[in-house]
Amino acid sequence: MSHKRIPKRRAAMAAGGVVALGAAAVLLPNANASQDGGSPDAAPAPRTLKAADASDLAARLAGLLGDTFAGSYYDPGARQLVVNVVPGDNDQVVVEAKEAGAAVREVDNSMGELKSGAQTLKSRASIPGTSWAIDPRTNTILVTADSTVTGDRWDRLESTVEGLGSGMATVRKSTGTFKTFASGGDAVFGGGARCSLGFNVTAGDGSPAFLTAGHCGVAADQWSDAQGGQPIATVDQAVFPGEGDFALVRYDDPATEAPSEVDLGDRTLAISRAAEAAVGQQVFRMGSTTGLADGQVLGLDATVNYPEGTVTGLIQTDVCAEPGDSGGSLFTQDGLAVGLTSGGSGDCTAGGETFFQPVTTALEAVGATLGGEGTGAGAGDDGAVSGEGGSGAAGSGADDGGAADGSGADDGDAADGTGVDGSDGSHPTG
């Protein structure tokens, strides 16, 4: 495998750059447009929204509705925001939600009840190989158990879910095992681990840096763009496990140019800003092992019990990932940064679920902002943006998309006890 170094004053690795081997996803130009149809005298009707606009509206309505609010999700077919409400005495807030452009649906479980149920799961069933997230589409807590959750551990999980009461939670089994995917976007290497660069950012003091997974940041202090190469960046902050899975890694050369863009292999996609995810939203993931993949957001504020510890505040999706994809970028077709690959189960042949660290939370925690304007093609260009074909950008450590020797998470690629050998259920992805 060949690797290119990042010359001084040349652009740093584009986030997620890699040939998209076997990816079925095709990134289309932005075709969604906000609109507000109907005559001025007609009854309020749900607005047609882009997913990012729906997420912003949901945040505003959550504050407006107060205890009446029971979650929301994006309906990609109708391109509408659906807001759940529990029946109450104040119908005026529901009217205001409709006037704001949301489709309103009455449900049984309040957000307070669902969050209380999630807290009960945390205190009684934090079993390695399990996860849970509130699913606003079913108005329940979606609990997932991987293939290692059997016997007494399965009995404990099942009895805890039953104890929450009828209609509060659903349990499903995953055929794989939860693991971190250390190995990944443009490949970066450190301490025997291989991970993916997520997004280039600007640190609080103005210096160039990038975000990646926290379990990568605790695996090694220094990172290179080539296996066995000289370090090009040093970890500044890392969180894993605990309240997130993210790390800020500063480029050692302060003259490094770090544009905010994702390398799709044959072209780049400019990233304009970070955005919150919305349940039901279509998202795309780039990783150095598996390339480009897409899917939907299934849940927010997810809790995942990896063997290394519990991680909270993640995004749950049905996007596939494999070892080496950890830290890689999750984004939208119109150039919004959404997440960093953490871990999950399954692979890109059989499918599975993958969890992501929200970019907005990571940026706020480390005091960074998205870097300079990208120079690549944006989502508004004519024609589809495909991840197939082409080679990685300069500095890509994965121009053939293959995993480096010993880079897989099952090979114990993270140092000092943070590696994942598949011995006990869920793991982050590295």
Side-chain angles (χ1 to χ4, degrees):
M1 179 184 300
S2 62
H3 302 279
K4 299 178 181 179
R5 298 283 296 121
I6 298 183
K8 191 171 184 178
R9 302 201 66 85
R10 287 194 59 182
M13 295 178 289
V18 64
V19 180
L21 296 178
V26 174
L27 193 58
L28 299 176
N30 176 24
N32 295 333
S34 297
Q35 63 186 46
D36 201 351
S39 66
D41 297 329
R47 293 172 54 204
T48 300
L49 300 166
K50 294 186 294 184
D53 294 333
S55 180
D56 293 340
L57 177 59
R60 295 198 301 272
L61 291 179
L64 172 68
L65 294 170
D67 293 340
T68 306
F69 179 76
S72 64
Y73 63 95
Y74 182 65
D75 181 343
R79 290 190 294 160
Q80 294 174 350
L81 174 70
V82 180
V83 173
N84 295 334
V85 299
V86 289
D89 297 329
N90 187 1
D91 291 335
Q92 181 57 36
V93 291
V94 176
V95 172
E96 292 178 13
K98 292 180 178 178
E99 290 178 344
V104 178
R105 184 180 73 151
E106 288 193 359
V107 295
D108 295 328
N109 298 321
S110 70
M111 184 58 68
E113 290 171 330
L114 293 170
K115 288 184 175 180
S116 177
Q119 185 60 41
T120 298
L121 286 165
K122 181 178 180 181
S123 62
R124 300 181 183 176
S126 288
I127 302 165
T130 62
S131 70
W132 49 82
I134 294 172
D135 180 2
R137 289 174 294 190
T138 62
N139 189 229
T140 63
I141 304 169
L142 174 61
V143 182
T144 305
D146 73 14
S147 60
T148 68
V149 182
T150 59
D152 291 343
R153 297 198 299 175
W154 170 257
D155 292 341
R156 176 154 61 102
L157 177 65
E158 194 172 40
S159 64
T160 302
V161 169
E162 290 176 351
L164 298 178
S166 176
M168 281 294 295
T170 58
V171 184
R172 69 178 186 183
K173 290 282 287 185
S174 173
T175 57
T177 59
F178 291 160
K179 55 184 178 294
T180 50
F181 299 133
S183 262
D186 272 355
V188 288
F189 303 86
R194 168 178 167 164
C195 286
S196 296
L197 189 153
F199 296 98
N200 285 318
V201 298
T202 301
D205 62 358
S207 62
F210 65 84
L211 293 176
T212 189
H215 63 270
C216 299
V218 300
D221 289 333
Q222 293 186 306
W223 290 83
S224 170
D225 63 333
Q227 190 173 31
Q230 290 298 310
I232 63 165
T234 303
V235 174
D236 181 82
Q237 303 176 53
V239 173
F240 177 82
E243 297 181 358
D245 184 4
F246 57 89
L248 177 71
V249 187
R250 292 178 185 264
Y251 288 105
D252 295 334
D253 184 350
T256 299
E257 296 178 7
S260 294
E261 58 189 32
V262 176
D263 187 349
L264 300 175
D266 61 345
R267 65 195 305 182
T268 56
L269 176 70
I271 297 297
S272 60
R273 64 183 177 90
E276 300 287 348
V279 172
Q281 178 181 25
Q282 184 186 31
V283 285
F284 295 82
R285 177 198 54 74
M286 204 68 189
S288 66
T289 299
T290 57
L292 183 66
D294 73 331
Q296 281 194 353
V297 175
L298 301 179
L300 305 177
D301 197 20
T303 295
V304 186
N305 295 296
Y306 295 122
E308 298 88 348
T310 298
V311 179
T312 60
L314 302 182
I315 302 166
Q316 183 170 355
T317 76
D318 61 4
V319 183
C320 72
E322 296 182 8
D325 290 332
S326 277
S329 43
L330 185 75
F331 55 96
T332 68
Q333 64 178 6
D334 48 354
L336 301 179
V338 176
L340 308 166
T341 307
S342 174
S345 69
D347 54 38
C348 288
T349 299
E353 47 274 319
T354 300
F355 300 91
F356 295 84
Q357 164 67 47
V359 171
T360 52
T361 305
L363 289 172
E364 181 178 2
V366 302
T369 57
L370 283 172
E373 292 292 326
T375 58
D381 293 346
D382 294 333
V385 180
S386 172
E388 297 181 2
S391 59
S396 171
D399 53 346
D400 64 359
D405 293 341
S407 65
D410 290 338
D411 296 324
D413 47 354
D416 298 330
T418 61
V420 286
D421 57 9
S423 60
D424 189 16
S426 55
H427 306 256
T429 347

